Amino acid sequence: MPDRDTVTGDGYILLFGMPRSGTTWIGKLFDSHPDVLYRHEPDSWSPLAMPRDPSLDDAADHARELQEFVARLPDIRAQRVAGKRPLFAKAYMSTPRARLMDVGVEFARVVSRFYPDFPVLFHVNARRYADRRIVWKSINSLGRLGTALTVLPEARGVHLLRHPCGYIASVNRGLAGNSFSSANSNSEDYGIFAAVEGTPLGERYGIAIDRMKTLTPVERLAWRWVLINEKAWRESRDAGRYHCVYYEDVCRAPETRLRALFDACGLSWNEQTADFVARSTRSARSGYYSVYKDPEISAWRWREELDADTVEKVMAIVARSEIGAPYMTMQPPAEHAR
């Protein structure tokens, strides 16, 4: 059985967002905190049995699975969950032990080419560290956020949003570069449409799968953005432990926004995080999933990739939503405007 902390979610931060929404960078900013034990997409490595977009009315039905899942998070040793680079010094880990774990992460990365999910050797779970905070970063469970905050009444939720055009442009870029493990386009995933059809949210927007199938891929992606984000927002906003964060705001003022977010999540500001904020925003490295990028260039790159007709179609859909309202007036910094 899970212990009390995992039943309540005390000490847990759920950092959820849609794919291509900046979650990897923000996740690593959290990981840079010395008290954080970071878990990178554990629900991709070990998928949950519950639906991705469950009804909040059924939260009690999923309580045990979620509580048992978060209870396992500290002990997961798979390299892609527990060893996502860059690695950071931790208050709960001595320098010699940190060096051993670094070797263990690299060894697991190499061996995993032949034996998938080979465990990280010398792994530290920090169970005895009183100030430990566990960050669960996910691109699969945003539709579950309201349910998770309901059944984990002391967990904190961070919902990361990215401009819908930025999300769509990044998805298109990933598909063109074969950066995804699945060849299926997100526009052909009708799961969210099935989940909301017939619900108050679905009726609000007249969602019907047959109608969705008549739309263009870009229009379906725009509707996915609206429905997944709005579902999470509506089901979580009254929890008192929910924080909605716009990626572009963080890109515009990384340290200022991150300081406020850390404070909301009960994390202190620290020199190591300040250093990583500076390093990750002042240098650029190639790679679709790199965390070293000029954040504002990354945030507004879509303006050079999507034509005016596509942008108009996307924003016409987003304009109907409450969650997308800030994006109807948000403008890029002058140096990134066309």
Side-chain angles (χ1 to χ4, degrees):
M1 285 293 293
D3 59 29
R4 181 187 177 280
D5 287 352
T6 54
V7 168
T8 66
D10 185 26
Y12 283 76
I13 299 168
L14 315 183
L15 173 59
F16 292 177
M18 292 187 70
R20 311 312 310 148
S21 293
T23 58
T24 296
W25 178 48
I26 303 298
K28 279 288 136 180
L29 290 172
F30 270 89
D31 188 20
S32 69
H33 195 287
D35 293 341
V36 163
L37 181 69
Y38 178 69
R39 289 297 178 255
H40 185 83
E41 299 175 15
D43 46 334
S44 297
W45 172 76
S46 179
L48 291 159
M50 64 184 289
R52 284 196 180 189
D53 306 289
S55 169
L56 193 58
D57 294 336
D58 298 330
D61 296 338
H62 307 299
R64 185 181 182 87
E65 181 183 10
L66 280 168
Q67 290 164 0
E68 292 181 346
F69 183 79
V70 299
R72 294 195 303 270
L73 292 182
D75 298 317
I76 294 177
R77 298 171 61 193
Q79 183 268 334
R80 58 177 167 150
V81 176
K84 177 72 173 177
R85 292 190 181 276
L87 303 180
F88 300 93
K90 298 297 179 180
Y92 51 80
M93 198 184 311
S94 68
T95 299
R97 188 59 185 265
R99 289 173 178 167
L100 282 174
M101 184 169 168
D102 184 79
V103 171
V105 167
E106 185 60 23
F107 185 72
R109 185 188 67 81
V110 173
V111 176
S112 291
R113 298 174 183 173
F114 309 98
Y115 301 97
D117 301 319
F118 186 86
V120 172
L121 304 177
F122 315 112
H123 174 262
V124 176
N125 63 22
R127 280 197 181 274
R128 297 182 180 179
Y129 183 65
D131 293 327
R132 181 187 70 176
R133 298 292 181 269
I134 299 172
V135 173
W136 168 11
K137 182 268 197 192
S138 176
I139 59 170
N140 281 333
S141 288
L142 181 57
R144 299 166 174 147
L145 183 56
T147 295
L149 292 178
T150 297
V151 305
L152 301 169
E154 294 184 53
R156 301 172 193 250
V158 176
H159 175 185
L160 186 62
L161 293 100
R162 183 181 188 178
H163 195 294
C165 290
Y167 155 70
I168 289 170
S170 188
V171 168
N172 289 343
R173 199 182 316 129
L175 290 170
N178 296 316
S179 297
F180 301 143
S181 58
S182 172
N184 295 326
S185 169
N186 286 347
S187 69
E188 303 301 321
D189 181 355
Y190 294 94
I192 183 62
F193 305 127
V196 304
E197 187 174 13
T199 69
L201 179 61
E203 291 175 355
R204 176 186 180 89
Y205 295 118
I207 300 300
I209 292 181
D210 288 345
R211 175 173 169 266
M212 292 296 109
K213 290 181 178 180
T214 68
L215 301 181
T216 65
V218 162
E219 289 170 324
R220 284 196 295 271
L221 285 173
W223 274 116
R224 278 177 57 81
W225 187 97
V226 167
L227 295 172
I228 294 174
N229 282 304
E230 190 143 330
K231 182 180 187 298
W233 173 64
R234 288 182 178 277
E235 293 182 347
S236 307
R237 59 183 174 176
D238 295 330
R241 296 163 284 112
Y242 166 79
H243 309 284
C244 187
V245 179
Y246 288 84
Y247 173 67
E248 292 75 15
D249 286 343
V250 181
C251 291
R252 185 166 302 193
E255 182 168 325
T256 299
R257 297 299 184 185
L258 192 63
R259 278 178 178 269
L261 187 55
F262 271 24
D263 185 61
C265 291
L267 291 170
S268 61
W269 191 247
N270 64 92
E271 184 177 343
Q272 180 169 256
T273 295
D275 176 69
F276 182 62
V277 169
R279 288 190 295 111
S280 67
T281 58
R282 293 176 187 168
S283 61
R285 299 180 187 176
S286 62
Y288 187 64
Y289 295 104
S290 175
V291 296
Y292 294 92
K293 298 178 181 180
D294 182 312
E296 287 197 309
I297 291 177
S298 178
W300 297 99
R301 182 177 175 181
W302 62 266
R303 292 169 60 83
E304 300 173 357
E305 297 178 327
L306 300 183
D307 59 56
D309 182 61
T310 296
V311 172
E312 183 177 359
K313 287 179 179 179
V314 170
M315 298 314 291
I317 292 170
V318 173
R320 299 177 57 184
S321 70
E322 290 186 58
I323 192 69
Y327 284 120
M328 302 311 298
T329 56
M330 186 180 292
Q331 295 294 323
E335 60 269 29
H336 297 293
R338 282 176 175 156

